[in-house]
Each structure stands twice: as C-alpha cells, then as structure tokens.
Amino acid sequence: MQKRLAFSIFCANMVVSILTSGHVVKAADSEAKNSEFPVVTTEPLKTEWNESYLIREVLMKRYDTVMRPVTDPSQPVYLSLSIGIKSFIQLDMKKQTLMSFGWLTVNWFDQFLTWDHDLYPFKVVHLTYGMIWRPELVVFNTISDLDQLEDQKIKVSVRHDGLVTWYPGGLFETFCSIDISHYPLDTQTCSVDIIPWSTDRSVVNGTFREPAFEISNTESHPEWTLVSTEAVYKVRPSDFWVLHFKFTLKRKVLFYVINIILPIVLLSLMNCLVFLLPVESGEKMTVSVTVFLSFAVFMSLINDSLPQNSDSICLFSAYVAVQMFLSVCSIVMAAVIVFIFDKDRESPYQLNPALPVSSKEHKMADTAESCFDPASLMSSNATLDTMCSNNNDPAATTNAETPTTYGLAAFLAANGNTAAMDSHNGRLPGSDSSEKRPVKKSLSAKLAWRLMTKAKNLTPHERRLLSRTLDKTCFVLTVSINLCSCVLFIVLMMFT
C-alpha cells in the first residue's frame, strides 16, 4: 500500500514539472521578444555572422586538407577546366615563346563541403588559400620553373552542394613551335598545356568545361589576330592526362608588305634593268653590285627575325636567295660584257710593233697620242686639223700633201701606217684589202658564241654588236627567271 502511494506521488510531481516547464519556455520567448540581447537557442539564426559559424563549426571542424574529397577512395576526383585570355603580350619568333596573360577556371566536387541550404541559407561561401584540398596542376610547356598553379591571395568559392571553383591565373610564358615556311604571311599555333603533377587518371582525372575558352574580353594585338581555338585531351603513356588549350594566331601583314616585300620586289626589277644600260655609260657594274648588297641587307634582316630552325624552310628567304643568285649572275655577265666591249681594243693611232717603223711614223704616233682622245678615234668623221688644232708640233700640221678634209683613215694611209689603217677598217693587220668584214645589224646565238671565242680579233663595231646581243639575251633570261620564281613563290605560299 505504501508503494502504491509513493508511485502516485511521483507521477503527480512529473505532471506538475512538465506543466511548469511549458510556462517557463513561453515566458522566455516573450521576454526574448522584448529584450535587446538575443537569446542563444539550438536553432541557428539567419544572420551575417552565421556564415563564420557554418565555416568553423560545420565545414572545417573535421576537414582534412590531405585527403581527397571523395567518400569512396576507389573513385577519382573529376576536374573540369577552362582558360580565359586577357591579352597576348608577345610571340617571340626568335626564342619561340608565347607570353600571354590569363587565368584558369577549375571545378570539382568536394563531398565533405556540403550543407543543408534550408538550415543554413548560404548558397556559396568563400574560403582562403590552403583551407581545403586542391589539385596539383602545372603548366607543362612553360619555359620557366615547373611550379604548381597557386596564389594565396585568391579565394576558393564553395557551393552548398560541394561544387568548388578555383581561379588560378597570371602570366603564362610557354614554348611555341614556330613554322617559318610561310613567313611573313604565316599562321602560328601555340598552346597552354595543363597536367596533374603527381597523380594519374585513377586519382585525379580532367576534362574541359563548357565553353573551354573565355575570349570575349581578349584585347587585340598589334601584330597578331586570334583566328581560332581548339581544346585537345590526350593521355600520356604513363597514364597521365594532358589538356591542350590551342590558339591559332595569324600575322597582320601590312607592315611587312610595305617595309620588306615591296622593296624586294622592286629590287628584283633592278636585276633586269641592269642589262638595259649601255656599256658606254660605265654604270653596269655599279648598279649590279648595289642591287646585290641591297639583297644581302634584306636577307640579314629576315634571318635576324627568324629562329635558327632547320625543320622547315622559309619560302620568302628562298625567294630572296634566288634573287641574290640572279644578282651575282648579273654581276658576272656585266663584267663579261664590259670585258668583250673593251678587251684589247686597238686605238687607230697605235702602231703595230711587228712592222718596221720610221722616225717620222714615231713622231706622228706621238702627236696623235698627245692630242687624240681614244674614244673619239672610234669615229672616222673627225678631221685631223680639227682634232689637232691645239698642237704646236709643226711636223703634224706642215705636211702640204695632207688635205685638211681628210678623215683619219686617209691620214693614216697617206703616212704609210697600213697596220693601224687595217685595224680601223675592220681587217686584220697585214691582210688583203678584199677581206674587209661585213657589218651586221643583228647576231644569231651561234654567231655570237663564235665571236665571243675570238673576241680579241673583233672590230669595234662587232664588239658593240656582240655586247648588245648579250645584253638582250641576259635581259630576257633574267625577266623569265624572275617571273617564274615569283609565280612559284605565290603558288607555294597559297597552296602549301
């Protein structure tokens, strides 16, 4: 009986305590509404400082930065990457490097960084560098040290479902293989290659985001134009993956057309015009050597801007080399033409040393040599009195048997100089007068070759005729080779 009474008293006390606690909670709620200070309860409050509570107490309390963010260790972490380019700073042809400024966008899911969006009303939180796990990524084709992509000043954004977004960026200095075959009308393809440094596909695997390139805000470059982009995924033999972000750049050619291509084309015309100059002008060799030196200067300028690469041949350099070869040929042919025109050309006042010479002939030869111009002696129209009007030697002017209207040939014949007269009239010294050579207005190739082999026995007229024939032949050949090389250069540049 006593036990039943004690149990009844215990139950009554429990009922009273329950009713009392309900009134206390209601009173606390009513006081909290009228109070200036918040009352801490088990339900989280939707205020700004609650983000710090979410990071410290919910996300980072038991987080390990060394562990991969997957609940199943046999599954890899899947990365998705894209690249954004702010500007292309420089494409160095000599060093074969591309310098660009941009950033990478890297996404992956961290299964340990999720929270209830209804309980904690934050879609995204931002964490500082080093607070969470990050993949070890490097730029594989960099020309500097193979450092990991990292920046302690850039925060990582985490979404409530565990999606992590990371934006590493900076200055990318990468190697770019240069194709010099179509310089300066060339198009180059360069890339930024991203690989995981110490993990294979079973641990960390990568793919491309959509879109893979962010180039809407890319600044224009004064020398290059971005033509196209391409994203290529490759797997290396050691089961490492590589993401190739390729950029196709086309050169702006206006500067090179005005400063290089146009002057070289005009110089190639000068190679042809050399053979239009008459031999008497004395400028054939000067123009030929000047054109050759100009080509040499342009060749050095082109080689200074190209890498020392033997994998491909620059077609433009080959074209300039052909023009230099033609210029050398022009120099050689100009020298041959001048040699033929002037070689062993006997002046009419010179005496044949094989014939007996009297003192009178010696005296007349000295008089002619002192007052005659060798160039003027090529013509037989000038009279002796006109050419020697200023000579004070009485032996040259007091001969009563020499008329003042005689030409040079008559003067030489009257004074017994038959050797010089034969040379002037186009005959070999001592030959018969009936063997006078006919004067031709044109020469065939066969006759021109025969005359070249006997150049020292030619008359001045034949020498002049042969030099003009060689000039015309060389001019036609040079124009033909120039046209063929130019057409071949254009075809190779357009269709290769």
Side-chain angles (χ1 to χ4, degrees):
M1 190 68 182
Q2 292 179 355
K3 292 181 178 180
R4 291 179 179 178
L5 181 61
F7 180 77
S8 300
I9 295 172
F10 175 78
C11 290
N13 290 332
M14 290 295 294
V15 171
V16 172
S17 61
I18 291 173
L19 294 176
T20 304
S21 62
H23 290 291
V24 171
V25 170
K26 292 180 179 179
D29 291 338
S30 61
E31 290 178 2
K33 293 179 181 179
N34 299 326
S35 176
E36 296 180 357
F37 300 97
V39 178
V40 178
T41 60
T42 57
E43 182 180 358
L45 300 178
K46 299 179 181 180
T47 55
E48 294 182 358
W49 55 268
N50 205 30
E51 182 179 358
S52 299
Y53 176 82
L54 172 64
I55 295 173
R56 291 195 308 268
E57 301 297 330
V58 179
L59 299 179
M60 296 288 104
K61 190 172 184 179
R62 296 181 179 180
Y63 190 86
D64 189 356
T65 59
V66 179
M67 294 181 59
R68 291 186 303 116
V70 289
T71 56
D72 186 1
S74 62
Q75 296 295 323
V77 179
Y78 291 95
L79 306 178
S80 58
L81 293 87
S82 66
I83 190 170
I85 296 297
K86 179 62 177 175
S87 62
F88 294 101
I89 300 176
Q90 183 184 13
L91 177 56
D92 195 331
M93 298 280 291
K94 195 75 173 178
K95 298 180 180 180
Q96 301 190 68
T97 58
L98 173 65
M99 185 181 298
S100 58
F101 181 78
W103 68 93
L104 292 174
T105 302
V106 187
N107 292 127
W108 70 91
F109 280 94
D110 194 325
Q111 299 179 5
F112 301 139
L113 296 178
T114 59
W115 65 89
D116 188 357
H117 178 58
D118 296 330
L119 186 61
Y120 299 96
F122 301 100
K123 292 184 177 181
V124 178
V125 295
H126 298 277
L127 306 179
T128 58
Y129 175 85
M131 293 181 65
I132 64 173
W133 177 90
R134 291 177 300 102
E136 297 177 350
L137 301 177
V138 297
V139 180
F140 186 61
N141 60 338
T142 181
I143 62 172
S144 56
D145 297 334
L146 285 173
D147 295 332
Q148 297 184 23
L149 292 173
E150 56 185 9
D151 192 343
Q152 298 183 5
K153 298 180 181 180
I154 299 178
K155 292 187 176 183
V156 180
S157 61
V158 182
R159 206 167 65 181
H160 65 90
D161 59 351
L163 179 63
V164 182
T165 305
W166 181 36
Y167 300 97
L171 189 64
F172 299 127
E173 295 183 72
T174 56
F175 174 79
C176 180
S177 180
I178 301 298
D179 182 12
I180 63 174
S181 58
H182 292 80
Y183 175 88
L185 310 177
D186 54 336
T187 300
Q188 304 296 337
T189 300
C190 303
S191 65
V192 177
D193 303 336
I194 305 299
I195 65 169
W197 183 239
S198 59
T199 55
D200 56 14
R201 289 193 300 167
S202 63
V203 179
V204 176
N205 201 353
T207 185
F208 295 102
R209 294 177 71 245
E210 291 295 337
F213 295 88
E214 301 175 18
I215 56 176
S216 58
N217 297 322
T218 303
E219 299 178 356
S220 61
H221 193 271
E223 186 178 0
W224 298 93
T225 302
L226 180 61
V227 178
S228 62
T229 57
E230 183 183 5
V232 179
Y233 176 87
K234 290 184 179 180
V235 179
R236 298 177 63 83
S238 56
D239 205 28
F240 285 87
W241 51 269
V242 183
L243 298 181
H244 301 275
F245 296 94
K246 295 185 177 182
F247 306 93
T248 302
L249 303 174
K250 185 176 181 180
R251 190 189 300 272
K252 299 178 180 179
V253 299
L254 182 60
F255 172 83
Y256 295 91
V257 169
I258 296 176
N259 294 279
I260 297 181
I261 298 179
L262 185 60
I264 288 179
V265 171
L266 295 178
L267 283 175
S268 65
L269 296 178
M270 293 290 292
N271 268 339
C272 306
L273 297 179
V274 167
F275 298 104
L276 296 181
L277 292 174
V279 184
E280 295 84 352
S281 65
E283 298 296 332
K284 274 185 174 294
M285 295 296 297
T286 303
V287 175
S288 300
V289 173
T290 302
V291 172
F292 173 77
L293 294 178
S294 301
F295 277 122
V297 170
F298 276 104
M299 178 64 85
S300 63
L301 291 177
I302 295 173
N303 292 334
D304 287 342
S305 60
L306 295 178
Q308 297 178 358
N309 188 359
S310 299
D311 296 335
S312 58
I313 299 176
C314 180
L315 297 177
F316 191 63
S317 297
Y319 175 76
V320 177
V322 170
Q323 295 302 323
M324 290 183 66
F325 175 76
L326 290 179
S327 183
V328 172
C329 293
S330 299
I331 295 174
V332 174
M333 291 307 302
V336 170
I337 292 171
V338 173
F339 173 80
I340 292 175
F341 187 78
D342 290 334
K343 173 64 177 174
D344 296 333
R345 185 175 60 183
E346 273 189 353
S347 299
Y349 58 82
Q350 292 177 341
L351 303 180
N352 191 344
L355 299 178
V357 182
S358 62
S359 60
K360 181 180 179 180
E361 289 176 338
H362 270 299
K363 193 171 184 180
M364 293 177 63
D366 294 338
T367 303
E369 186 174 2
S370 63
C371 61
F372 291 170
D373 186 358
S376 63
L377 288 178
M378 298 301 300
S379 175
S380 61
N381 296 325
T383 61
L384 180 63
D385 291 342
T386 304
M387 300 167 65
C388 296
S389 59
N390 296 327
N391 194 345
N392 295 323
D393 190 357
T397 57
T398 58
N399 190 354
E401 297 180 358
T402 304
T404 58
T405 58
Y406 276 11
L408 182 60
F411 168 75
L412 294 173
N415 289 275
N417 195 349
T418 57
M421 183 181 67
D422 289 341
S423 177
H424 176 74
N425 290 331
R427 298 190 302 269
L428 293 177
S431 61
D432 188 11
S433 60
S434 61
E435 297 178 358
K436 184 177 181 180
R437 299 183 182 181
V439 177
K440 297 181 179 293
K441 296 183 178 180
S442 62
L443 294 176
S444 62
K446 185 176 181 180
L447 181 57
W449 175 253
R450 291 179 61 187
L451 291 177
M452 287 178 62
T453 57
K454 301 178 180 179
K456 69 176 184 178
N457 297 326
L458 299 180
T459 62
H461 175 74
E462 289 174 339
R463 294 177 185 276
R464 188 181 299 108
L465 189 59
L466 179 59
S467 63
R468 290 177 181 176
T469 303
L470 292 177
D471 275 334
K472 292 178 182 179
T473 305
C474 293
F475 175 76
V476 173
L477 288 176
T478 308
V479 171
S480 302
I481 296 175
N482 266 321
L483 290 178
C484 292
S485 62
C486 185
V487 171
L488 181 62
F489 170 72
I490 294 174
V491 170
L492 291 177
M493 291 289 285
M494 292 180 61
F495 300 102
T496 59

